[in-house]
Amino acid sequence: MYMPELIRKKRDGGELTAEEISYIINGCVSGEVPDYQLSAFAMAVFFRGMTNAETVALTLAMRDSGDKADLSGISGVKVDKHSTGGVGDKTTLIVAPIVAACGVKVAKMSGRGLGHTGGTVDKLESIPGFRTSISPQEMRETVETCGLSVTGQSGNMCPADKKLYALRDVTATVDSIPLIASSIMSKKLADGSDCILLDVKTGSGSFMKTLDDSRLLARTMVDIGRGAGVRTAALITNMDSPLGSAVGNSLEVIESVEILKGKTSGDLWTVCRELSCRMLMLAGIGDKDECGRLVDEAVESGEALKRFEMMVKLQGGDVSYIEDTSKFRKASFSRVYAPADGYITHMDSEKIGLITVLLGAGREKKDDDINHAAGIIIAAKTGDFVKRGELLATLLADDESRLD
Ligand code: URA
């Protein structure tokens, strides 16, 4: 096959065959197809889209481009969840221990921050000592012992996605439904769980800004999952304002631990309760009412917190930070006050995410170090009434110039 011909075919609106897509993905991994041709291919897909058959073929080719997790040694049903990316989205830290406390195993591979969105791996690494890079054997043992393990993507899993994603990130081709769907689902299918719950974010802080696009992305991913024989469902959740009040790595761990300690109110809890419930339902634990009751009990009894602490300990983290979250280092701060009386009618979550990156909580360049204590604590959200001079948000950073 001849790569320029395949790019032309897609560019002109043609449908690629599964063999042609395999050729592109194999060439991506071997290096035979250079970055500039892959980037041109991604741009052609961005403008022309893909048929369902093409999206499935791309997903399966990327899934098969590297190693796959072997969870067969872990007893019981394994359920996974994945968010399409948001601001202040710390749901995995809350949902995974709750589901584990209800008897369903979670062996989850998570990502790092991406653009304006945060990543679970960066959040967990703000706990001193916590290791997100552990061997498959250690992961299996952790899941068997406490019911959950959250790690980073292991070395050679979906290398085609890794490469294509890095190119998409810098060629303005991230926000394409077939490319997002195949990127996420290739990794989820390689992860090897029995069930997958997708949390498709919609609104100003997500990659999909409209409900119609979010629905289409959800439908596409669910069809791919079910087509591959994995029980798959999706929720579409609001990302028009950041989830909860903390945005930034250790700040989000603290907020998650507060929920696990019983501070169950607000939008973050509403989303986490629903996600946990749906994961249990997918795993066949019961109906909505039954699963809701189990979720509430897992938090009220302290079992979910216990599971989280066990995972932290088993993965090398200093659990005293979870017992007493005031131990997390504090950054310098500056406060933002309301300039006038009024209702907050809208929040630009993407901008809030980008500000968090500028404060040091995310990476501006691929190899940047993260400041785990940096971020934003939001004091008022959409729908709230504030008086002039009332606190809107606290910005945290170590470097005064970043606060400016
Ligand atoms: N998350 C992913 O893993 N891939 C995408 O393309 C977007 C979000």
Side-chain angles (χ1 to χ4, degrees):
M1 283 181 222
Y2 183 53
M3 190 62 191
E5 246 338 288
L6 301 183
I7 297 171
R8 183 175 299 118
K9 186 171 176 186
K10 188 75 261 178
R11 185 201 67 187
D12 295 343
E15 182 175 7
L16 297 170
T17 64
E19 291 70 36
E20 288 168 334
I21 290 173
S22 278
Y23 172 84
I24 296 170
I25 293 307
N26 291 340
C28 161
V29 177
S30 69
E32 234 162 274
V33 176
D35 288 0
Y36 51 83
Q37 288 183 328
L38 284 170
S39 304
F41 167 70
M43 191 58 87
V45 173
F46 180 89
F47 280 114
R48 288 298 189 169
M50 276 186 148
T51 62
N52 286 345
E54 284 177 301
T55 309
V56 169
L58 181 59
T59 308
L60 299 184
M62 293 206 292
R63 176 197 66 182
D64 297 338
S65 67
D67 298 340
K68 297 193 190 74
D70 178 12
L71 304 184
S72 59
I74 301 172
S75 56
V77 180
K78 278 81 65 184
V79 60
D80 199 353
K81 86 161 256 289
H82 191 88
S83 153
T84 55
V87 179
D89 181 1
K90 69 276 293 171
T91 53
T92 292
L93 306 183
I94 300 163
V95 163
I98 290 176
V99 170
C102 297
V104 174
K105 310 259 170 63
V106 183
K108 177 160 170 42
M109 291 187 202
S110 289
R112 295 194 180 276
L114 194 69
H116 68 280
T117 68
T120 304
V121 165
D122 294 328
K123 292 168 205 192
L124 282 169
E125 285 179 353
S126 71
I127 304 167
F130 193 96
R131 290 177 296 118
T132 54
S133 178
I134 58 177
S135 69
Q137 175 64 15
E138 204 178 343
M139 186 203 207
R140 284 194 288 271
E141 283 167 11
T142 306
V143 176
E144 281 296 7
T145 311
C146 65
L148 75 152
S149 175
V150 183
T151 66
Q153 198 75 32
S154 83
N156 192 38
M157 219 176 228
C158 296
D161 174 65
K162 239 176 239 163
K163 189 155 179 192
L164 198 54
Y165 194 87
L167 291 174
R168 288 168 55 212
D169 202 17
V170 290
T171 55
T173 49
V174 172
D175 40 350
S176 145
I177 289 174
L179 294 179
I180 295 177
S182 55
S183 163
I184 290 176
M185 291 309 291
S186 60
K187 288 176 285 204
K188 292 293 103 183
L189 295 177
D191 283 353
S193 285
D194 306 299
C195 326
I196 303 170
L197 181 69
L198 299 158
D199 179 11
V200 178
K201 299 291 181 196
T202 191
S204 65
S206 63
F207 291 119
M208 295 293 107
K209 308 288 188 214
T210 68
L211 194 52
D212 281 349
D213 280 349
S214 306
R215 279 211 179 98
L216 187 56
L217 177 61
R219 182 80 266 157
T220 307
M221 291 197 291
V222 168
D223 286 346
I224 294 171
R226 289 183 184 167
V230 179
R231 263 176 272 165
T232 311
L235 291 182
I236 298 174
T237 66
N238 183 18
M239 193 29 76
D240 259 331
S241 52
L243 201 49
S245 55
V247 190
N249 300 293
S250 67
L251 304 175
E252 294 190 43
V253 171
I254 295 169
E255 189 176 19
S256 304
V257 170
E258 280 169 2
I259 292 228
L260 292 173
K261 287 183 177 169
K263 206 173 149 199
T264 47
S265 60
D267 59 347
L268 175 59
W269 171 241
T270 304
V271 172
C272 287
R273 188 178 187 278
E274 192 67 25
L275 289 170
S276 309
C277 228
R278 297 281 166 177
M279 285 169 80
L280 294 179
M281 287 165 73
L282 264 183
I285 297 300
D287 64 16
K288 184 112 197 284
D289 288 345
E290 234 169 313
C291 292
R293 196 177 41 74
L294 287 173
V295 168
D296 292 338
E297 262 174 36
V299 177
E300 281 159 20
S301 65
E303 188 61 26
L305 175 66
K306 197 168 119 199
R307 299 296 179 124
F308 184 67
E309 289 178 343
M310 279 169 87
M311 176 187 70
V312 168
K313 213 172 185 169
L314 287 165
Q315 292 189 217
D318 184 343
V319 84
S320 70
Y321 280 72
I322 308 304
E323 288 158 359
D324 175 10
T325 53
S326 69
K327 285 185 77 172
F328 280 101
R329 193 177 64 76
K330 311 271 177 313
S332 321
F333 60 83
S334 109
R335 295 197 154 124
V336 182
Y337 298 99
D341 291 4
Y343 284 95
I344 298 177
T345 57
H346 170 72
M347 296 176 89
D348 187 334
S349 306
E350 181 167 349
K351 266 195 189 137
I352 293 171
L354 287 172
I355 291 168
T356 314
V357 173
L358 292 178
L359 289 169
R363 298 175 187 81
E364 291 176 61
K365 289 189 267 19
K366 197 161 98 341
D367 299 321
D368 281 354
D369 284 332
I370 277 196
N371 178 348
H372 285 119
I376 305 184
I377 297 181
I378 294 159
K381 292 174 72 167
T382 305
D384 289 344
F385 181 79
V386 287
K387 284 200 160 307
R388 180 167 179 266
E390 255 180 55
L391 183 65
L392 290 182
T394 305
L395 311 189
L396 297 107
D398 282 326
D399 176 347
E400 293 289 328
S401 65
R402 285 182 183 263
L403 286 172
D404 289 344

